[in-house]
Structures are given as C-alpha cells and as structure tokens.
C-alpha cells in the first residue's frame, strides 16, 4: 500500500530533500543540491516566492519506506494576472513503480482541482529562475547546478499517467575553440560607436550589486515574450541576489551600458560546479566550500546561465559586445568548453545567437501536461 504524507516539519523536509541522494547514489550524471540551500528554498519564512505562490511537499511511503516525492506548486501571478490556470509540480523523484507516480500526481491534481485550475504541468519550479524539465535524451551526460536529472523510466511513468509533451528544452555544448571571434569582434566595435555603448567588466562581486536591479528589469523585458515566462516580485529579486552572488566569478559577468550608464544588455556565466557538487554530496561543511572555491577559480568548463538584451536593442548587435568580452576573458582563463541551457526549443532568437559556433545538443528535456478540468 502506498501512503502519501505531507512534509510539514523541518525533519520531514530534510527527508524530502535527501530522498534523491539514495535514488541516484550510483548515478554519474546526477548533481546533488546543497541541502542547506534546498531547506531555505522551502522555508516560507525565508523564500519570498511564497508571497505570490503556494507550495506543498509530499512524500510517498511503501512498506514504511520513502519511495517518491513531489512538490505541488501554484504561482498566483501566473493564475490571476496571466489567467493561466496551471497547477505546477516539481522536485519530482520516484522509484520505478508506476503506482507511486500515480499516487503522487493524483495528489497534485487534487490540489489543482480544489483551486479550480485547469491543467497540470511539470516538472517545473516556482518561476523561470528555478530548474525545469524531465530528461528524455542525454542520460549519460553530467547535469549541472541549474538542472534536475532523472532516470529514463520517468518518461514512461508520466506518459502512462496520461500526460503529454509540454514544452521542450535543449542543452548545448560548444568547444571554446569553435567560437570564432571573427563573427563578433568587428561588429561589436561598430555597434558600440553607432549606439554609444560601452562594456562593463568586474573584478569584485560587490561592484556587481548596484546594477542588479537594472539587470532584473532587462531580464524581465527581454524574456517576457517566452511561453514559459512568469515575473518575480522585488523581494524575490533580492533573495536571488543573495542566493547566487557567491557562486559568481565576477570576471564572468558582462554588462553593456548606454551613454547614460543605463544597463541595456548582460550576460552571466558561471564556472561549472557539477563535479564539485558531486564531491560535496550536499554538504558545505567541512570540505564542501573548498570544492566550490576550487571550481570557481579553476574550472575550465563554464555554463551560460542568463543573457538578456532590452527589446529596443535586440537585433542590433549588442550580443556581439557581450561575446567579445567573454571571449577575451575565456582566452585568459584557458576555458575549453562552454555549456548552454536549458533553453526553450521555441526560443528561436536565442538559437540564432549561437549558430556560428558549432553548438552540439547533448541533452534534451521537456515538461509534461495533463488536463484536470
């Protein structure tokens, strides 16, 4: 018999967070989260997402043993302002037992129906800055700090539950040697002169902070046309600043300013922390910080995390300015591989940015949807 219990106490939330550590114990592709950071994500007193969203966390038990988990999520900005009657689910992990999947997703659908929502979609988080998608190709490739991983049978489970393909996402890799500066070096000089733009580089994270509010504005305006986009509130922006600023290598943050020093475009890249997080196995102490710091300083693989350009400057070559600055920094640092994604398959604009750099798709993922009206 399968029993679904809600994780309400800190003790139960730790069980919720730690379940995948046993499920993926022998996986070479799964990248563990930092347990303390996950606890903060689920803490309604810390994470301001709960000002505009509801989240309930469930564990599945069979014969007294935890065999699955799921987060049932409602983003009320999406439901009320965008009028998208979506019930979300995320942090979804199960053993290879269809009955466990059915029981967990039935609980999600039940909450959705209670709130008069029309369909379920997942796995997704609260917003676009959370992880997304179930992997259906590329299981042999290591994941990243910003992705969920899963066993191949998840797809079978979701489809057997009656869910269908929702939104597709691809992850790409580009050898740095394939990124030829002739595609952007000359253009970026012309663009800077024509529009009176300048590139801004950093050596300290504290120097980035004064620009972060403008960065979120550019991010919102540049991504609002995407099919998955839901805005975040000011408190969430402050939360994400504090959450991720420590992971940034300031030299991998590139801003473009206009003649009045207003931010009009940006690119954020992080060192690859995947192998460091695997070594940490969820723990910052006593040696986890050392693994993170080593990756931050010495990783030869980088992950493109965010890129955005104000709509009025799009298709005017601003990304050439960003690429030029990254190319100079990556050359100095001896970077050998660039990872991108997940990026929406229907985001043709972002795909065009990389077309000359021989991008190779190495992992594909998607969300699944089901009507619950």
């Amino acid at each position: 018999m399968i029993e679904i219990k809600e994780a309400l106490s800190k003790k139960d939330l730790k069980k919720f967070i730690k379940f995948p550590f046993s499920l993926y114990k022998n996986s070479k592709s799964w990248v563990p989260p930092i347990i303390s950071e996950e606890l903060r994500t689920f803490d309604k007193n810390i994470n301001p997402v709960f000002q505009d969203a509801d989240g309930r966390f469930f564990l599945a038990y069979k014969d007294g043993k935890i065999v699955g988990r799921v987060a049932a999520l409602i983003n009320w900005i999406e439901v009320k302002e965008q009028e998208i009657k979506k019930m979300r689910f995320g942090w979804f992990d199960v053993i290879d037992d269809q009955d466990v999947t059915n029981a967990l997703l039935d609980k999600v659908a039940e909450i959705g129906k209670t709130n008069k929502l029309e369909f379920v979609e997942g796995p997704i988080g609260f917003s676009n800055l959370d992880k997304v998608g179930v992997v259906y190709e590329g299981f042999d490739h290591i994941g990243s700090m910003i992705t969920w991983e899963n066993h191949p049978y998840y797809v079978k489970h979701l489809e057997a539950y009656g869910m269908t393909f929702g939104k597709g996402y691809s992850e790409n890799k580009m050898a740095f040697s394939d990124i030829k500066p002739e595609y952007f070096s000359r253009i970026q000089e012309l663009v800077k002169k024509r529009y009176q733009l300048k590139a801004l580089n950093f050596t300290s994270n504290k120097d980035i902070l004064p620009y972060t509010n403008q960065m979120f504005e550019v991010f919102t305006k540049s991504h609002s046309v995407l099919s998955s986009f839901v805005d975040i509130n000011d408190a969430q922006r402050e939360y994400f600043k504090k959450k991720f600023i420590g992971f940034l290598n300031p030299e991998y943050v590139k801003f473009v300013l206009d003649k009045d020093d207003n931010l009009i475009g940006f690119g954020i890249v992080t060192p690859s922390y995947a192998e460091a997080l695997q070594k940490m196995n969820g723990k910052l102490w006593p040696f986890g910080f050392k693994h993170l710091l080593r990756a931050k300083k010495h990783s030869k693989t980088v992950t493109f995390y965010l890129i955005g350009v104000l709509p009025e400057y799009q298709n005017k070559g601003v990304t050439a300015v960003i690429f030029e600055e990254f190319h100079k920094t990556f050359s100095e640092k001896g970077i050998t591989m660039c990872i991108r994604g997940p990026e929406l398959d229907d985001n043709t604009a972002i795909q065009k940015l990389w077309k000359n750099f021989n991008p190779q798709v190495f992992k594909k993922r998607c969300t699944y949807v089901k009507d619950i009206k």
Side-chain angles (χ1 to χ4, degrees), residues 242-259:
K242 295 174 183 177
K243 182 175 181 178
F244 288 115
I245 194 71
F247 288 100
L248 298 180
N249 181 329
E251 295 170 281
Y252 295 164
V253 177
K254 309 297 182 183
F255 288 171
V256 181
L257 308 180
D258 67 11
K259 61 183 178 62

Side-chain angles (χ1 to χ4, degrees), residues 121-186:
E121 183 174 10
I124 47 180
F126 292 101
S127 75
N128 297 69
L129 293 175
D130 288 320
K131 300 175 183 180
V132 65
V134 60
V135 176
Y136 65 90
E137 287 183 15
F139 296 100
D140 294 335
H141 292 271
I142 191 170
S144 73
M145 182 178 71
I146 59 173
T147 60
W148 285 312
E149 297 301 307
N150 56 269
H151 291 303
Y153 60 78
Y154 281 34
V155 171
K156 180 184 70 175
H157 283 209
L158 294 170
E159 291 179 350
Y161 186 70
M163 306 197 84
T164 57
F165 192 100
K167 298 179 182 69
Y169 298 80
S170 296
E171 294 170 58
N172 295 261
K173 59 183 178 181
M174 302 175 294
F176 181 65
S177 58
D178 286 338
I179 300 178
K180 307 300 184 185
E182 56 261 32
Y183 290 114
F184 48 80
S185 287
R186 187 179 65 85

Side-chain angles (χ1 to χ4, degrees), residues 61-77:
Y61 289 80
K62 187 175 183 179
D63 299 325
K65 183 180 178 181
I66 296 174
V67 291
R69 69 170 190 171
V70 73
L73 314 170
I74 303 175
N75 186 308
W76 290 111
I77 293 177

Side-chain angles (χ1 to χ4, degrees), residues 152-220:
Y153 60 78
Y154 281 34
V155 171
K156 180 184 70 175
H157 283 209
L158 294 170
E159 291 179 350
Y161 186 70
M163 306 197 84
T164 57
F165 192 100
K167 298 179 182 69
Y169 298 80
S170 296
E171 294 170 58
N172 295 261
K173 59 183 178 181
M174 302 175 294
F176 181 65
S177 58
D178 286 338
I179 300 178
K180 307 300 184 185
E182 56 261 32
Y183 290 114
F184 48 80
S185 287
R186 187 179 65 85
I187 296 172
Q188 63 94 27
E189 286 293 344
L190 296 172
V191 169
K192 286 193 287 190
K193 289 179 181 178
R194 179 178 298 174
Y195 301 109
Q196 301 180 64
L197 306 178
K198 60 183 176 183
L200 184 62
N201 292 289
F202 298 95
T203 56
S204 169
N205 283 349
K206 68 179 182 180
D207 294 332
I208 300 171
L209 289 174
Y211 294 92
T212 52
N213 288 334
Q214 289 187 64
M215 187 205 73
F216 277 113
E217 287 300 318
V218 174
F219 171 76
T220 296

